[in-house]
Amino acid sequence: MTILEEVHDYWNRQSCGTGVTDAPKHSRAYFEEIEQYRYAVEPEIFAFAQFTRHSGQKMLEVGVGAGTDFLQWCRAGTQAHGVDLTEEAIANVQHRLEIFSQRAVELKVANAEKLPYPDNNFDLVYSWGVIHHSPDTEKCFAEIARVVRKDGTVKLMLYHRHSLVAFYLWVRYGLLRGRLWRSLSDVVYHHMESIGTKSYTRSEVHDMARRHGLAVRNIDVTASPTYDLLGQYPWPLRAGAYVLASLAGFSRCGWYMRIEMTKGCG
Ligand SMILES: C[S@@+](CC[C@H](N)C(=O)[O-])C[C@H]1O[C@@H](n2cnc3c(N)ncnc32)[C@H](O)[C@@H]1O
């Protein structure tokens, strides 16, 4: 089995973020509970995506998953196109749009390493937590740069290697197992969601953007209250996380690297 097949099978079993509800699959309550949970634990998505600001634009979301953000793109009045590697995700999102009376221009199964769109086709390409799961992340990055139009915007969330979350994984799978030599990349690769997950530093992202003609406008790695600061754990762990974050710098040690780029200028 190739890594891409393993990634497909992992996410096709259950779409990301759908395990938080017991409501019947594809019911209104099912989707509402998924949405409520997502934006409670990841409120930073709104400030980053700025859904309504892109109203009217031709938008592609790469890796729609269960479609919580995709629904917001539709509600915001973008010309929404969405792709995902898995049939499960696409079926989920089709049901979701129907229940909430929303329409997308197009929604289909596709591999981000080979996007089925012409060059310079979208005003905005958005992807939250997706391409670091694909075996050839740089190919996905190149494809995103290819399909966004000149002066168009790319908003991408990639996992940040120099983060508290990566450090916690290292403590759990390196330190506590007596395997101190394991690197942060290695523990993320083997123990974060599907096999082969990658994590990046800010300078790696700058280099990758330069190679593909994108200018980085902003990279935000502020600590996530839920994940880096262990918001759902007992207070002694939360207190420890606060101490670590204050030593590392709250704005420097977050797991979510929110990257905003523009094509062909800067
Ligand atoms: C962590 S989930 C994120 C989903 C969604 N963006 C979200 O934030 O909930 C990762 C998603 O990436 C998709 N994915 C992984 N590799 C992909 C690829 N090469 N092409 C398209 N989608 C991919 C998976 O199928 C899965 O739906």
Side-chain angles (χ1 to χ4, degrees):
M1 206 186 227
T2 64
I3 300 237
L4 188 68
E5 286 166 343
E6 286 193 57
V7 169
H8 170 274
D9 289 0
Y10 180 93
W11 295 109
N12 205 41
R13 250 172 264 138
Q14 187 180 42
S15 268
C16 187
T18 56
V20 299
T21 171
D22 292 327
K25 192 170 180 184
H26 297 161
S27 63
R28 178 174 278 266
Y30 171 82
F31 290 123
E32 281 177 349
E33 284 171 31
I34 290 169
E35 178 169 332
Q36 193 178 15
Y37 183 82
R38 179 182 180 84
Y39 297 129
V41 299
E42 297 172 355
E44 57 272 38
I45 289 176
F46 280 101
F48 177 61
Q50 297 183 294
F51 299 104
T52 50
R53 189 171 175 177
H54 298 281
S55 182
Q57 293 187 355
K58 191 170 179 186
M59 188 284 312
L60 171 67
E61 179 170 349
V62 175
V64 291
T68 312
D69 293 348
F70 194 71
L71 181 66
Q72 315 313 316
W73 290 118
C74 294
R75 284 173 169 158
T78 66
Q79 300 170 48
H81 300 64
V83 296
D84 198 280
L85 189 61
T86 68
E87 302 74 23
E88 169 66 13
I90 298 304
N92 231 337
V93 184
Q94 276 162 346
H95 283 286
R96 196 164 191 167
L97 295 185
E98 207 176 300
I99 284 190
F100 293 98
S101 307
Q102 294 296 323
R103 287 174 74 98
V105 176
E106 187 175 58
L107 194 55
K108 63 184 178 188
V109 173
N111 180 358
E113 294 184 14
K114 198 170 190 295
L115 289 171
Y117 296 104
D119 299 356
N120 304 309
N121 196 48
F122 294 99
D123 300 309
L124 168 68
V125 180
Y126 172 82
S127 185
W128 181 271
V130 174
I131 69 171
H132 45 227
H133 294 300
S134 206
D136 194 341
T137 300
E138 180 138 3
K139 185 77 181 67
C140 302
F141 199 99
E143 281 292 273
I144 287 172
R146 180 181 68 74
V147 301
V148 72
R149 70 162 168 78
K150 193 165 183 311
D151 295 337
T153 303
V154 174
K155 294 187 181 191
L156 206 58
M157 188 279 274
L158 291 178
Y159 290 154
H160 180 215
R161 189 154 76 242
H162 294 163
S163 61
L164 292 185
V165 167
F167 174 68
Y168 301 148
L169 284 177
W170 178 80
V171 169
R172 181 167 174 194
Y173 296 103
L175 182 68
L176 295 178
R177 293 187 181 187
R179 303 177 69 193
L180 277 69
W181 60 86
R182 293 192 78 178
S183 65
L184 293 175
S185 302
D186 184 50
V187 291
V188 170
Y189 190 96
H190 290 280
H191 303 290
M192 177 50 75
E193 304 165 329
S194 49
I195 185 74
T197 303
K198 287 169 256 35
S199 52
Y200 293 87
T201 63
R202 278 174 287 184
S203 73
E204 286 168 350
V205 169
H206 276 282
D207 290 346
M208 198 150 51
R210 211 171 296 120
R211 286 196 288 278
H212 299 289
L214 296 178
V216 175
R217 292 290 168 224
N218 191 43
I219 299 186
D220 185 351
V221 287
T222 303
S224 152
T226 306
Y227 301 110
D228 299 289
L229 302 179
L230 302 176
Q232 291 169 329
Y233 284 80
W235 77 262
L237 289 176
R238 290 206 309 274
Y242 262 83
V243 172
L244 287 174
S246 38
L247 292 172
F250 282 88
S251 63
R252 289 210 299 260
C253 64
W255 177 231
Y256 288 160
M257 183 155 38
R258 284 151 277 165
I259 308 154
E260 185 165 346
M261 295 171 287
T262 310
K263 179 163 167 179
C265 48

